[in-house]
């Protein structure tokens, strides 16, 4: 999995691409969100548009990132989950936990 971080105002937009799976993408996601939180970036938007697949480890890491951010007074929101990832978020009812946006501008404005 690859990550690219953009800053829009006070929001860190993390563009993710590839698979978020055990031992690969989940570690990359954990490290990137941890790095941002430790650097004082508390408003994080994860762009899932180019994430092609996510397993249970990826789902677990999304929840862990959400929890870690809240513990540090931050927020993690999701942007443009792709078809299979969107289905997974609905099946696991995480759709009700995360704020999820289909467009970047409303997501940025929501912080």
């Amino acid at each position: 999995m690859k990550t690219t971080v953009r800053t829009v105002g006070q929001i860190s937009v993390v563009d993710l691409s590839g698979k978020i799976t055990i031992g690969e993408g989940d570690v990359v996601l954990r490290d990137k969100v941890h790095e941002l939180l430790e650097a004082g970036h508390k408003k994080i938007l994860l762009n899932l548009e180019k994430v092609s697949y996510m397993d249970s480890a990826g789902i677990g890491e999304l929840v862990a990132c959400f929890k870690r951010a809240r513990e540090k007074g931050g927020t993690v929101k999701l942007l443009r989950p792709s078809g299979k990832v969107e289905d997974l978020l609905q099946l696991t009812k995480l759709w009700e936990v995360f704020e999820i946006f289909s467009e970047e501008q409303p997501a940025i404005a929501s912080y």
Side-chain angles (χ1 to χ4, degrees), residues 58-109:
I59 288 290
E61 195 51 47
L62 274 183
V63 173
C65 289
F66 180 83
K67 184 178 174 195
R68 277 193 297 274
R70 289 193 114 182
E71 288 171 352
K72 293 188 177 277
T75 307
V76 171
K77 298 181 182 183
L78 305 180
L79 176 64
R80 297 185 195 122
S82 60
K84 290 180 182 178
V85 174
E86 182 178 9
D87 292 346
L88 191 58
L89 292 171
Q90 288 181 353
L91 281 171
T92 57
K93 303 230 183 257
L94 288 175
W95 200 261
E96 299 169 5
V97 174
F98 286 96
E99 284 188 66
I100 301 173
F101 298 87
S102 58
E103 298 296 328
E104 186 170 317
Q105 193 58 38
I108 297 293

